[in-house]
Amino acid sequence: MVQSSGVDYLHMLLVSMKWLLRQHGLTHRARFAISIHDEVRYISEESVKLDVALCLQISNLLTRSMFAYALGMRDLPQVFFFFFFFFFFFFLKSKKYQFNSNNIIYL
């Protein structure tokens, strides 16, 4: 049972990652490289590495949320969101996004 759910998690992660890359126009600039045990690696162009990393973080969030919901858990551990938002704000800072007074992000 546990082995099967690990494969399901990986499959959901890869499918959501493919969808996010397509949505952001990154399918020709990044691709799945390898998966070993609990590690997934993507190869991308240097100029889009943070975009691809953010897509991977969001895919992980979507996949964890789906599994938690299927198990009847309506909340994820707070530590997961701490690390997710830490990465997200690092991404925003490195991309030099600007916020207006309504908290809308402009490029």
Side-chain angles (χ1 to χ4, degrees), residues 69-102:
Y69 186 81
L71 292 170
M73 300 166 56
R74 301 300 181 246
D75 295 318
L76 291 175
Q78 289 181 351
V79 70
F80 177 76
F81 290 103
F82 173 78
F83 289 112
F84 175 76
F85 285 114
F86 176 77
F87 177 82
F88 182 69
F89 286 115
F90 170 77
F91 172 81
L92 291 178
K93 183 179 176 184
S94 66
K95 287 291 201 171
K96 298 189 176 36
Y97 285 87
Q98 297 175 353
F99 293 89
N100 70 3
S101 60
N102 297 324

Side-chain angles (χ1 to χ4, degrees), residues 25-107:
L26 299 170
T27 52
H28 299 293
R29 302 176 80 185
R31 64 186 171 104
F32 172 70
I34 193 169
S35 172
I36 302 172
H37 302 292
D38 63 346
E39 185 175 323
V40 176
R41 292 193 181 193
Y42 277 80
I43 297 174
S44 70
E45 295 176 8
E46 182 73 23
S47 60
V48 295
K49 69 180 180 183
L50 289 176
D51 299 281
V52 173
L54 182 61
C55 287
L56 189 58
Q57 291 288 330
I58 293 170
S59 292
N60 190 24
L61 175 63
L62 291 172
T63 305
R64 279 182 182 240
S65 298
M66 189 281 306
F67 270 85
Y69 186 81
L71 292 170
M73 300 166 56
R74 301 300 181 246
D75 295 318
L76 291 175
Q78 289 181 351
V79 70
F80 177 76
F81 290 103
F82 173 78
F83 289 112
F84 175 76
F85 285 114
F86 176 77
F87 177 82
F88 182 69
F89 286 115
F90 170 77
F91 172 81
L92 291 178
K93 183 179 176 184
S94 66
K95 287 291 201 171
K96 298 189 176 36
Y97 285 87
Q98 297 175 353
F99 293 89
N100 70 3
S101 60
N102 297 324
N103 292 328
I104 299 174
I105 301 172
Y106 289 97
L107 298 174

Side-chain angles (χ1 to χ4, degrees), residues 7-23 32 40 42 59 62-63:
V7 171
D8 293 340
Y9 192 95
L10 176 63
H11 183 254
M12 293 285 299
L13 182 74
L14 294 177
V15 168
S16 64
M17 186 65 176
K18 183 176 181 180
W19 175 75
L20 281 170
L21 291 175
R22 188 180 310 130
Q23 291 295 316
F32 172 70
V40 176
Y42 277 80
S59 292
L62 291 172
T63 305

